[in-house]
Amino acid sequence: GNPKLSRVHVAEHDVASEHQLFHDMGYKFVPGALDPTLKVSSFNQLYACAAIANLLIRDRLKDWADKSAGYFPLKKGPGSVEGGEQEMQQWLKWSEVKDGADAQQVQWINLKQHGRSIQKLVRSYRNDPSKLLDIARNCIVFETVGDLTKCLTEMSKDDSVCLERIKNRMSIQYDSTESGGYRDVCVNLRMCSKESMALGAETHVCEVQLQIIEFAKVKTIQGHKR
């Protein structure tokens, strides 16, 4: 789940170790002082941490995609295809567009909508916000399993993140009929950089989906049908 950091009043504090906001408030978060018995109980607090973590993880996503031939979703235009159906999702290869104007056309994924989070909170987690692990969620798409594996390797070597859980839906043991044929590798992680610690967001668990492009198309089609 999403535990909170212990918080102590500042008497003599090291300004360099904390964000200016907490310094001004007279409080600081102690990096690494996790209290598993003191979990996040506020929905608003959870979303505040998610917003910070989602901004911080973006640079890491770009770096991982650059090193593993990864793609990001392209922003959709206002038009539609023949028959009035929604425009199908397309992807941009980050290593090819990162230094050009097309980099601005990447559709970064927003935080999970409040309504959907509340539904999940009530139906699955008995109103325990600390169980919600996909409010800050992102995806990287690949052409081959080899590229996906390379990205996972880069993530595991990245000192600025801490991997919490890997759900391998690419495994032959996974029953894909449960997801309409869709498969991916779902990684839950925390941002462990000095910046995330200074902002008090180091305990928030994010989700990164690593997808093969053909399965991403299946997911897109299913979404359009719903």
Side-chain angles (χ1 to χ4, degrees), residues 197-211:
M197 291 180 183
L199 289 165
E202 64 171 298
T203 63
H204 187 82
V205 179
C206 306
E207 178 180 289
V208 179
Q209 296 176 2
L210 307 180
Q211 307 171 351

Side-chain angles (χ1 to χ4, degrees), residues 68-81:
S68 58
Y71 291 73
F72 293 121
L74 172 69
K75 290 180 181 178
K76 294 182 180 180
S80 61
V81 298

Side-chain angles (χ1 to χ4, degrees), residues 9-25:
H9 190 74
V10 176
E12 296 179 0
H13 50 268
D14 179 5
V15 176
S17 67
E18 64 182 44
H19 193 271
Q20 185 64 37
L21 174 63
F22 298 134
H23 172 239
D24 293 344
M25 294 170 62

Side-chain angles (χ1 to χ4, degrees), residues 65-96:
D66 187 31
K67 293 176 179 177
S68 58
Y71 291 73
F72 293 121
L74 172 69
K75 290 180 181 178
K76 294 182 180 180
S80 61
V81 298
E82 185 178 354
E85 298 180 356
Q86 284 185 285
E87 180 183 358
M88 295 302 294
Q89 182 64 66
Q90 298 182 36
W91 290 269
L92 292 172
K93 191 172 186 178
W94 182 248
S95 61
E96 295 179 353

Side-chain angles (χ1 to χ4, degrees), residues 13-130:
H13 50 268
D14 179 5
V15 176
S17 67
E18 64 182 44
H19 193 271
Q20 185 64 37
L21 174 63
F22 298 134
H23 172 239
D24 293 344
M25 294 170 62
Y27 289 89
K28 74 174 180 179
F29 283 90
V30 182
L34 300 179
D35 184 348
T37 66
L38 188 62
K39 295 183 178 181
V40 171
S41 58
S42 166
F43 197 63
N44 289 337
Q45 180 187 8
L46 190 66
Y47 262 85
C49 289
I52 296 171
N54 204 44
L55 288 174
L56 295 179
I57 200 174
R58 189 166 296 175
D59 284 341
R60 308 316 313 136
L61 294 166
K62 293 176 181 178
D63 185 59
W64 299 331
D66 187 31
K67 293 176 179 177
S68 58
Y71 291 73
F72 293 121
L74 172 69
K75 290 180 181 178
K76 294 182 180 180
S80 61
V81 298
E82 185 178 354
E85 298 180 356
Q86 284 185 285
E87 180 183 358
M88 295 302 294
Q89 182 64 66
Q90 298 182 36
W91 290 269
L92 292 172
K93 191 172 186 178
W94 182 248
S95 61
E96 295 179 353
V97 303
K98 63 178 182 178
D99 297 322
D102 285 344
Q104 303 302 316
Q105 297 304 311
V106 171
Q107 179 63 64
W108 300 108
I109 300 176
N110 295 323
L111 298 182
K112 194 181 192 77
Q113 293 182 357
H114 288 78
R116 293 182 62 190
S117 292
I118 291 173
Q119 288 179 358
K120 197 170 185 178
L121 191 64
V122 173
R123 293 176 181 175
S124 304
Y125 298 136
R126 299 182 179 181
N127 295 323
D128 183 356
S130 70

Side-chain angles (χ1 to χ4, degrees), residues 132-153:
L132 286 169
L133 305 180
D134 63 346
I135 293 178
R137 66 266 166 86
N138 288 275
C139 73
I140 309 176
V141 176
F142 307 91
E143 292 186 280
T144 69
V145 174
D147 290 338
L148 186 155
T149 303
K150 185 174 182 179
C151 182
L152 191 58
T153 300

